Amino acid sequence: MKKPNFQGWLQQKVSDEPEVILAGKLEYLRLYLTDAMREIRNKAGLTQTQLAEKLGVQQAAVSKLESALKEHELESVLHYLYALGADLLIAVKQGNELYQASDNEGSFLVDVPDVVAQKALAAKMSVREYVRVAIEKFSSEDDGLRTALVKLLESDDSVAVKVRERLGSRTIQEIAVKLEKCLSLSEEDRIFAVKNVLAANVAYRESNRGSSDEVDEIELLDLAEELLEKLADILE
């Protein structure tokens, strides 16, 4: 669902009147919220009348809830969404801090796979805490691994020298990122992925036209195997 670009329009029209900007934010929220509500109801295959029957109200009440021109009580919106098997996730942002105000600790403003919730339960942690810790750990490992890869590729190691000969216009950072992705694959797939990363670019091929493709493939596989041995040392 594409958000209405009302906020962008508002910022162009006024930018220094807090009261007007606040009114615009409220209008934007109503537009987006009611658009989402109508879309959810339509996906559920219900008319306004049918949903009204589930809620125990008149059709006019549902129509009012779906109108961006009307005031909306939070309680009424929650009842509407609950009847459709949906929920409202709310967050408050102040500076760089984001405070989620949803009543469900396990609910996020992004989709979280069931397997993550299961791992959090096994670790005796809330989903929110588990995700935060996992992200912090992944970020630190990611930075450390990439730094180690760059250090290896910049070294005087004979394998690193061979790899740099095949860089062409690519930078060591680019190769490090690609090798990092290779390491996330299964062991049997890694060597072919690394070989593809090392594949000679146009300039390299033109300077070696006398060699056959078969020989080049063998050289690439040998170099990929040597490089993987070096990478294995980094992972230990």
Side-chain angles (χ1 to χ4, degrees):
M1 178 174 53
K2 186 178 180 181
K3 292 184 180 181
N5 195 24
F6 180 81
Q7 189 72 4
W9 174 86
L10 177 65
Q11 293 296 343
Q12 291 178 2
K13 296 294 181 182
V14 290
S15 60
D16 56 355
E17 297 182 35
E19 292 183 0
V20 179
I21 292 177
L22 177 58
K25 287 181 178 293
L26 290 172
E27 186 66 18
Y28 176 76
L29 177 60
R30 290 195 191 100
L31 284 169
Y32 189 40
L33 177 61
T34 54
D35 188 37
M37 291 166 68
R38 287 191 299 272
E39 183 172 326
I40 291 170
R41 175 176 58 76
N42 288 330
K43 284 185 177 180
L46 297 176
T47 64
Q48 287 187 346
T49 301
Q50 290 171 327
L51 179 56
E53 291 177 357
K54 291 189 66 173
L55 292 169
V57 299
Q58 298 295 318
Q59 179 270 334
V62 173
S63 178
K64 180 180 178 181
L65 273 173
E66 293 183 354
S67 173
L69 302 177
K70 306 294 184 180
E71 295 289 339
H72 292 75
E73 291 185 0
L74 185 59
E75 183 178 351
S76 298
V77 173
L78 288 174
H79 278 299
Y80 177 106
L81 294 173
Y82 185 78
L84 294 171
D87 199 359
L88 182 66
L89 302 184
I90 302 174
V92 179
K93 187 174 185 298
Q94 183 181 40
N96 293 325
E97 296 293 330
L98 187 67
Y99 305 91
Q100 186 163 320
S102 304
D103 62 345
N104 188 342
E105 179 71 15
S107 295
F108 275 78
L109 299 180
V110 295
D111 291 332
V112 178
D114 291 339
V115 66
V116 175
Q118 294 169 5
K119 288 180 178 294
L121 182 63
K124 297 181 179 180
M125 301 167 67
S126 68
V127 176
R128 188 199 307 272
E129 184 182 9
Y130 183 85
V131 170
R132 179 183 60 77
V133 171
I135 290 175
E136 289 177 352
K137 182 179 179 182
F138 176 80
S139 297
S140 61
E141 289 180 351
D142 181 62
D143 292 340
L145 176 58
R146 191 168 304 172
T147 299
L149 288 172
V150 171
K151 185 176 180 180
L152 168 64
L153 295 174
E154 290 178 340
S155 71
D156 294 329
D157 183 274
S158 59
V159 174
V161 173
K162 292 178 184 178
V163 172
R164 290 201 298 273
E165 290 175 352
R166 292 180 173 270
L167 282 180
S169 60
R170 297 172 295 177
T171 66
I172 287 179
Q173 285 286 350
E174 289 176 315
I175 299 300
V177 171
K178 291 181 181 295
L179 290 176
E180 190 175 9
K181 292 180 179 179
C182 293
L183 293 176
S184 66
L185 302 174
S186 63
E187 290 189 11
E188 60 183 17
D189 291 333
R190 284 180 186 177
I191 188 168
F192 297 105
V194 172
K195 180 185 76 69
N196 290 334
V197 171
L198 298 173
N201 57 31
V202 175
Y204 183 87
R205 285 175 181 165
E206 288 180 350
S207 64
N208 292 274
R209 284 180 178 174
S211 59
S212 67
D213 290 340
E214 183 178 350
V215 172
D216 195 43
E217 281 288 310
I218 294 174
E219 290 179 352
L220 279 172
L221 283 171
D222 287 343
L223 180 55
E225 188 174 0
E226 290 179 288
L227 181 55
L228 277 174
E229 290 178 0
K230 298 291 182 181
L231 298 181
D233 293 336
I234 292 177
L235 293 175
E236 289 181 352

